[in-house]
Amino acid sequence: MSNNFDGFFYPKSIAIIGASSKEKTLGWELMKNLLNFGYNGKIFPVNPKADSIHNVKAYSSLTYIEEKVDLVIIMVSKKYVLDSIEDCKRRNVKNIIVITAGFKEVGDEGVEMEKLLMEKIRNNNMRMVGPNCMGIINTKTNVMLNGTFIQGEPNPGGIGFISQSGALGAAVLKILKLRDIGFAQFLSIGNKADVNENDLLEYWRDNEDVKVITLYLESFGEARKFMEIAKTITRNKPVIAIKAARTAAGMKAASSHTGALASADTIVDAIFEQSGVIRVTTVDELFDLAKSFDRTILPSGKRVGILTNAGGPAILTVDEAQNSGLDIPELSEATQNKLKEICVPEAAFHNPVDDLPPATAEVYGQATEILLEDENIDAGIIILGPPLMHDTFEIGKAICDEAMKSGKCAAIVLMSQDDIIPRLAEAVPLHPPIFNNCEAAAKAIGQMYKYKLFKEKPEGKYKIINGDKKIVNEIIKKYENKETYLDFDDVVKILKAYNLPIVESFFAKNVQESVDIADKIGYPIVIKVAGKKLVHKSDVGGVVVDIKNLEELIQAENKVIAGLKEKGIDNQLEGFTLQPFIKGGTETILGVMKDSKAGHIIAFGMGGIMVEVMKDVKFKLLPINDFEAEELIKSVNAYKILKGVRGNPPVDIEFVKDNILRLSQLVSDFPEIVELDLNPFVFSHLNDRCKILDARIKIKF
Amino acid sequence: MSNNFDGFFYPKSIAIIGASSKEKTLGWELMKNLLNFGYNGKIFPVNPKADSIHNVKAYSSLTYIEEKVDLVIIMVSKKYVLDSIEDCKRRNVKNIIVITAGFKEVGDEGVEMEKLLMEKIRNNNMRMVGPNCMGIINTKTNVMLNGTFIQGEPNPGGIGFISQSGALGAAVLKILKLRDIGFAQFLSIGNKADVNENDLLEYWRDNEDVKVITLYLESFGEARKFMEIAKTITRNKPVIAIKAARTAAGMKAASSHTGALASADTIVDAIFEQSGVIRVTTVDELFDLAKSFDRTILPSGKRVGILTNAGGPAILTVDEAQNSGLDIPELSEATQNKLKEICVPEAAFHNPVDDLPPATAEVYGQATEILLEDENIDAGIIILGPPLMHDTFEIGKAICDEAMKSGKCAAIVLMSQDDIIPRLAEAVPLHPPIFNNCEAAAKAIGQMYKYKLFKEKPEGKYKIINGDKKIVNEIIKKYENKETYLDFDDVVKILKAYNLPIVESFFAKNVQESVDIADKIGYPIVIKVAGKKLVHKSDVGGVVVDIKNLEELIQAENKVIAGLKEKGIDNQLEGFTLQPFIKGGTETILGVMKDSKAGHIIAFGMGGIMVEVMKDVKFKLLPINDFEAEELIKSVNAYKILKGVRGNPPVDIEFVKDNILRLSQLVSDFPEIVELDLNPFVFSHLNDRCKILDARIKIKF
């Protein structure tokens, strides 16, 4: 099975099975697009009823074509698709796009049909895009392939776009020129029966024509593989994605705290964030950012210079720039003096520079040059308000030229002048990204700056930590082939085997035993109800802390028992867990859950009874490296507390990190662990006083 | 001074001083706009050098016009503006728009000039819009006034738009038709020397032509007045605003916790939220929402039905709808059956309904009707993907008709079909709002639903609480004419006078005195360093809690003293404050600050050392009524803890509310209080154990 898609994107010849001479049919539209866009290879329409289609000689069957066929596009009705594949087999065609719909997406019968189709594809070592897709595009000058039946001419550029929705692809194609978006390659992947986004990502990783990868996904083919592949791309080539169907049910365990906190969509967030994929939520955002990556360079820093001929739009730009993490610095005196020489005296020479409506194309061009030359400026946004006196088009050209010459990151805003954008883009083929509103430009540069920071991050190293596997192995064996929570004693042993600092615990069957044990460990102590069914101990009033002496102990346990009786659940009580009381420190939660698609996921954040209230928890996929562990810690608010707040001494963050890596190792060694909560995990400034006060582990074979 | 702007928006005659016969000048453009749009009154161009302008008889001076002039638009060069006002005085004209620029916005000389201008306006009981503005519009059929020099024809509708930026107004005017935005009235308010947004708000409150009010503001004329006026409008008429210049420095005290937490922009948020003004941040959002209010009715609930001919856009719509607080409910069986009768069998009959690309105008129209008839549906979003086989325009017409007939809230999305929007809007004058992307439609309906909830909220009642004003008066007198923090003893007395439960405190000069006092109040106790300069006590290790006996007390105080010595600030120590130790409870902050523009603002949220870390604090302007107090409490995360979390008993929220109202009364009685922090204010389930553990008050006369 080949993962080289040159045969799809750079075919020397294409056959269209189902090309049609009947106007307005899909087979007619696709042929028209192929011809109009100026495809550079050979076109073989296949239709048993036509001699020629759009004046191109037609063949009654694929098998009659004498020349080599690189790519076959199938758009016959559903019942003939399998026969068409047979024809491909006969002609040894390996690259097939099935546009025909009516497969998995229509339910039972279609599912069966798609299975048969895939069998044929696999048995013949073919690769298939679709079924139920809209086709393929490559705008490269020596290819000029528009193998879609969509209205609207592809606009060339460096963006690769994978769309799981044909209609969405079509919607974008229709506005490429209007929004200054340029496509290098486009593929509508339809039902993803064979080729999915992961294949394309791998292919585009090393494809020089595609400079920015964009995706519209409704589901992951294989989530974990997506992350692994994306990780190998994002530092070199930006990947931007919409993952729609955000609230669709994810497969996940939800009885643990960690599981309850991880919605299907937070897992998607974690996958994207960890692999460096930039997630956006709207189509506009997707392509505003993609065209910026494509048409200008990364900003070298976060300092943005703004040039405008109108105050209001500049102020909105400043607002959005600052909101997106950018700065609006003061300009150098030299810059201001140079601007004074060319602008009218009432102009504003501070950042944002306002050269006012009288500014001509010449003035605007010069001002652009001067602004971008300033060494305090890493990127420029040049705004052109609705024109009053001058020709926006001419001014736009002057700005484009100077912005491109500057060698800096730049964007142009033609406020509300949608009509000028395609004209300007065509007149100046090499131009910065052009926007019709200023907020979008500022937001895009802010995201580019964040991407720059991402590229500069250390990659991190995976550490191997030696836990006592033998002990854990023995314990887990006891539960073989079960799906169950482990006994607390076993949990303690497992954690100890990996040096995870679980607090000393003692089990007491009743009040009398409690008193004896407390004498041994010494006061103050904590008591917790014990019982397999008593999972959320605090909720039933089953936890009492800081018990200072015998009397308090007896009183506390009797009160707890009375409370359970009142709730009618005293029969669930099996005894008490006693622990030394650890005073102070910050309660965190450290947990792991296993998602059916994304695999093991680790969670860290504010713990104890604040878990649900604050929802200050972030996630990463396991295994996790040292830098990712540090990022995880720093990504939650709890970090501010751990660092030491208002006179409290700081926690040793390296020690927190070490515990995260230990936990990662434990789960990596024993993937049978499907849920694990360390909550609360109390950290204080002395490492030997950091303790896990409660823990649960669930395994599933 | 009249606050009736009929003379501006419904003038029977207009004189334009500075109308010009020279092509492309502003005075030429404005005359052209007036004539082209078909103004229904009399037009008197005033220009000493022209006999006629655009074929309209011109006058060499205003004074030569024999008929009554309702409105004068001045657009002569700056040096003639004052003379023109004199002419207005002679002709007893009271309504003036000064378009001419070069006043306050250009600095010193202009500031002076604007002052002179305003003197003349005030002395003659005139009202003036501008200077430095772009003019006025009223699209009412019997008025048809376009008194601007901006390109682009006004599109009629029910939106009133006030813009502090002329350029932004111009940008919006240019795209009205393209984005299906309809203006009733528009005013560019420029420098706001006389007429500002508050005047217009008051005027539009009772103006029937303006159904939705939109504002673009860079600054408030008078912030508190804005809130008071807006409050009287928003329950009847939606008001939507952009407040730009978000990061501009606000005048505010920042030494208190409350002050440090309240940025200028959070105060703006509080003003808008409390007055029911919907705040948005981009121009697109502003008008997407405004046109929705204008063109369709409020949704009766949050259940949205979606009809589409393409999957992807529908999924994006579901995502954004749910993200905006809407539900996508199941349709009734009857609805599904009716749909099955008209759609192709492969269509999807669940919500979102997908009638697939074969759907004709007839099918789309019927499906729209059936969907909106379903009693499970409160609002509909009808999406039309890029067309494949049918004419979008015809389908669009069918949808518009059925959507309007339904009497329900509805929006139409013509994905990427910008070109069809103006055609469709013109063909069906009464149509639901039309969008070119689906996310915007879902977001707008979500905001409309929130507005519906706002309208249904109780208005709240102001309670009068009797504090012991005499005591507070006496204390504050001591500090007369100062700006200072009060002594802690005085703070305690003031709080007690208003029944705010400050914990008992005792001052001890040294360790020996501490021991004596501790004996009296009984252990456990808390000690805090005391000293005017020792403001952030925790930060210097100056707070020790839960001291259980004599030895612990002596040890603690000595340790604190040693700590201060190490920091070289032991000379700031004046003694110790001793308090009984209150165990448990939830730490909140309750504070007040006085903003120079918005006045007194109250803050509530998570307190203690978590204040800065969690930033879980919200604000409201004072005075606050009972319902607003409840809203304030419920708006912060701390509320979830106060309600009782994981077995902790709930706090009496009425008691929390009562304390907020007491504090509001205190500040209302003594406006000299400019800062007040009650932090931590500990709430537990027993009201008599709720205590303020620390407090500061600053006054300024």
Side-chain angles (χ1 to χ4, degrees), chain B residues 273-299:
Chain B
E273 200 256 310
Q274 206 165 341
S275 58
V277 172
I278 303 165
R279 185 177 193 181
V280 296
T281 56
T282 72
V283 179
D284 283 347
E285 269 181 286
L286 181 66
F287 291 105
D288 282 344
L289 181 55
K291 79 180 179 191
S292 302
F293 279 122
D294 183 24
R295 302 219 183 273
T296 188
I297 61 165
L298 286 188

Side-chain angles (χ1 to χ4, degrees), chain A residues 153-356:
Chain A
E153 197 186 332
N155 194 36
I159 299 173
F161 179 38
I162 303 166
S163 180
Q164 195 174 339
S165 156
L168 208 87
V172 177
L173 275 167
K174 234 182 148 309
I175 51 167
L176 290 181
K177 293 200 177 185
L178 198 60
R179 304 276 195 273
D180 188 34
I181 304 163
F183 275 2
Q185 299 176 17
F186 162 73
L187 191 67
S188 162
I189 51 177
N191 291 4
K192 309 200 283 190
D194 177 24
V195 174
N196 67 18
E197 65 277 11
N198 293 340
D199 299 307
L200 264 290
L201 277 179
E202 272 193 307
Y203 174 65
W204 279 346
R205 173 172 51 207
D206 306 312
N207 183 303
E208 283 182 11
D209 296 334
V210 173
K211 285 161 52 187
V212 193
I213 298 174
T214 58
L215 301 113
Y216 168 81
L217 295 179
E218 291 171 0
S219 61
F220 283 115
E222 301 131 286
R224 182 157 280 267
K225 196 172 163 198
F226 175 90
M227 189 183 85
E228 282 158 10
I229 296 171
K231 259 192 169 179
T232 67
I233 303 173
T234 48
R235 282 178 184 260
N236 302 311
K237 209 176 261 194
V239 179
I240 319 166
I242 293 180
K243 165 66 183 66
R246 279 185 258 163
T247 48
M251 294 287 285
K252 58 181 196 66
S255 60
S256 69
H257 280 301
T258 308
L261 291 163
S263 74
D265 205 53
T266 56
I267 296 174
V268 173
D269 273 339
I271 291 172
F272 282 163
E273 198 254 313
Q274 205 164 343
S275 58
V277 172
I278 302 165
R279 187 176 192 181
V280 297
T281 55
T282 72
V283 180
D284 283 347
E285 268 182 286
L286 181 65
F287 290 106
D288 282 344
L289 181 54
K291 78 180 180 193
S292 302
F293 279 123
D294 184 24
R295 301 219 185 272
T296 187
I297 61 166
L298 287 187
S300 50
K302 61 174 169 177
R303 302 166 306 167
V304 175
I306 298 170
L307 171 63
T308 187
N309 62 355
I315 292 175
L316 286 172
T317 309
V318 170
D319 280 351
E320 184 58 56
Q322 291 180 330
N323 189 42
S324 302
L326 301 170
D327 287 345
I328 312 296
E330 195 43 273
L331 303 176
S332 75
E333 253 191 69
T335 299
Q336 297 189 36
N337 288 334
K338 280 186 221 162
L339 288 167
K340 277 176 194 161
E341 276 172 34
I342 57 159
C343 296
V344 294
E346 302 80 35
F349 304 106
H350 295 274
N351 195 8
V353 175
D354 188 345
D355 59 8
L356 296 177

Side-chain angles (χ1 to χ4, degrees), chain B residues 366-384:
Chain B
Q366 287 175 352
T368 302
E369 185 190 356
I370 294 167
L371 177 73
L372 289 173
E373 264 175 12
D374 191 313
E375 56 188 14
N376 297 325
I377 295 302
D378 302 311
I381 299 176
I382 323 295
I383 303 163
L384 205 41

Side-chain angles (χ1 to χ4, degrees), chain B residues 387-643:
Chain B
L388 296 171
M389 302 148 177
H390 302 294
D391 186 348
T392 307
F393 178 69
E394 290 303 325
I395 300 180
K397 281 206 294 190
I399 297 172
C400 284
D401 288 340
E402 293 302 334
M404 293 310 284
K405 266 194 248 165
S406 77
K408 282 191 181 172
C409 173
I412 300 184
V413 181
L414 297 179
M415 282 285 288
S416 303
Q417 292 158 90
D418 298 37
D419 46 328
I420 311 274
I421 293 177
R423 273 179 62 207
L424 182 60
E426 204 180 326
V428 193
L430 282 180
H431 56 267
I434 309 173
F435 295 85
N436 65 1
N437 78 79
C438 50
E439 299 98 333
K443 197 169 180 180
I445 292 186
Q447 284 173 301
M448 289 180 88
Y449 173 65
K450 283 194 192 108
Y451 174 70
K452 181 195 177 269
L453 296 182
F454 160 76
K455 283 182 73 162
E456 290 167 353
K457 282 198 313 198
E459 296 213 32
K461 277 182 194 138
Y462 291 92
K463 280 190 185 166
I464 290 173
I465 290 163
N466 290 317
D468 192 335
K469 284 194 210 177
K470 209 178 134 221
I471 289 183
V472 181
N473 240 329
E474 273 168 22
I475 293 170
I476 287 189
K477 239 187 202 163
K478 293 197 299 183
Y479 299 87
E480 210 154 26
N481 296 323
K482 282 191 195 151
E483 176 178 353
T484 183
Y485 284 99
L486 307 191
D487 290 338
F488 188 68
D489 284 351
D490 287 332
V491 171
V492 170
K493 283 179 203 151
I494 290 176
L495 296 177
K496 281 188 178 166
Y498 277 74
N499 245 333
L500 287 156
I502 181 86
V503 73
E504 289 293 326
S505 285
F506 303 88
F507 179 72
K509 257 187 263 166
N510 48 39
V511 179
Q512 185 50 52
E513 271 192 37
S514 298
V515 170
D516 295 344
I517 291 168
D519 270 349
K520 258 180 258 166
I521 58 180
Y523 293 93
I525 60 161
V526 179
I527 59 161
K528 295 176 187 176
V529 288
K532 279 218 175 58
K533 288 188 181 165
L534 293 168
V535 173
H536 291 298
K537 305 181 188 89
S538 297
D539 291 347
V540 296
V543 179
V544 184
V545 303
D546 199 8
I547 295 173
K548 296 197 188 69
N549 50 47
L550 180 70
E551 290 128 54
E552 281 187 26
L553 174 61
I554 295 172
Q555 200 185 353
E557 295 202 343
N558 284 332
K559 199 176 156 197
V560 167
I561 294 168
L564 294 179
K565 247 184 206 144
E566 219 169 86
K567 293 186 177 70
I569 49 170
D570 51 322
N571 58 335
Q572 296 178 6
L573 184 73
E574 296 168 19
F576 287 94
T577 307
L578 276 68
Q579 298 169 341
F581 174 62
I582 311 286
K583 201 173 159 181
T586 301
E587 294 193 336
T588 68
I589 179 172
L590 182 58
V592 170
M593 59 158 286
K594 188 173 188 173
D595 178 77
S596 64
K597 288 180 175 168
H600 280 109
I601 292 161
I602 194 165
F604 179 70
M606 206 170 280
I609 61 167
M610 303 289 266
V611 170
E612 279 97 357
V613 173
M614 300 311 304
K615 294 205 166 69
D616 174 43
V617 172
K618 289 281 163 60
F619 302 86
K620 289 220 185 256
L621 275 70
L622 291 180
I624 192 170
N625 66 40
D626 58 351
F627 183 73
E628 289 170 340
E630 197 174 315
E631 268 194 322
L632 179 60
I633 299 166
K634 289 182 177 171
S635 68
V636 293
N637 265 327
Y639 174 62
K640 294 186 219 158
I641 303 174
L642 294 173
K643 268 195 318 184

Side-chain angles (χ1 to χ4, degrees), chain B residues 127-138:
Chain B
R127 294 307 311 256
M128 174 187 69
V129 171
N132 184 29
C133 75
M134 290 223 179
I136 192 165
I137 287 172
N138 184 353

